[in-house]
């Protein structure tokens, strides 16, 4: 359950709990995730991504009572939204495939939909147009790295200490200035600070 995936406090703080999605959902196109619990209305794009063959968000977690609006982008051909056979409790079915931009299909989430549902676009199921819908709080979850932005809390802990970076920059500038001075000296034969001598 949700608490089972939590490790030490420091690790848990840097991680995100996501539902355990069916493999057909996670191997689908795009792969975006949104935790929309607490929101009364959510929109899912149908025909998202560069090829127009994805749902966005691909994986969605909502509460009962949420209204989900599936909105067609007009990209990727004709699409529909339908629960995979045996794919879960929610009975998603937008009907025949449609390609019209702005077309919408609304689904009101009820208590009967609690759990995880795997749905797809029937014409494009073979090319990975799949989605997942998690409903309610009684959902099996797992820890992901979603809470980690990739940047450490203290950038000075990356590689060498931060002050050493400044030492390196100063050394590079010093070398560059030495090259410039040497070039000037070789070209003109004297230092920039040397006068042209007195009267002869």
């Amino acid at each position: 359950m949700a608490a089972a995936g939590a490790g030490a406090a420091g690790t848990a703080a840097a991680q995100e709990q996501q539902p355990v999605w069916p493999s057909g959902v996670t191997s689908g196109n795009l792969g975006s995730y949104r935790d929309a619990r607490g929101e009364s209305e959510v929109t899912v794009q149908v025909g998202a991504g560069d090829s127009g063959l994805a749902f966005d968000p691909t994986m969605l977690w909502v509460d009962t009572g949420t209204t989900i609006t599936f909105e067609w982008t007009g990209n990727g051909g004709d699409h529909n939204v339908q629960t995979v056979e045996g794919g879960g409790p929610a009975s998603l079915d937008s009907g025949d495939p449609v390609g019209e931009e702005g077309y919408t299909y609304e689904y009101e989430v009820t208590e009967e939909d609690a759990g995880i549902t795997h749905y797809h676009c029937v014409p494009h199921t073979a090319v990975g147009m799949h989605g997942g819908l998690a409903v309610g709080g009684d959902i099996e979850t797992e820890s992901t790295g979603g809470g980690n932005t990739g940047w450490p809390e203290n950038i000075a802990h990356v590689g060498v200490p931060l002050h050493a970076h400044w030492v390196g920059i100063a050394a590079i500038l010093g070398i560059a200035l030495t090259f410039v001075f040497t070039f000037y000296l070789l070209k003109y034969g004297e230092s920039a600070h040397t006068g042209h001598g007195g009267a002869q």
Side-chain angles (χ1 to χ4, degrees), residues 174-195:
I175 293 170
L177 288 173
T178 300
F179 278 122
V180 170
F181 181 79
T182 303
F183 171 79
Y184 188 93
L185 191 63
L186 290 174
K187 183 172 182 179
Y188 297 103
E190 59 184 11
S191 169
H193 301 292
T194 303

Side-chain angles (χ1 to χ4, degrees), residues 128-147:
M129 193 167 176
H130 293 254
L133 173 64
V135 176
D138 190 18
I139 299 290
E140 182 182 0
T141 62
E142 61 186 352
S143 296
T144 69

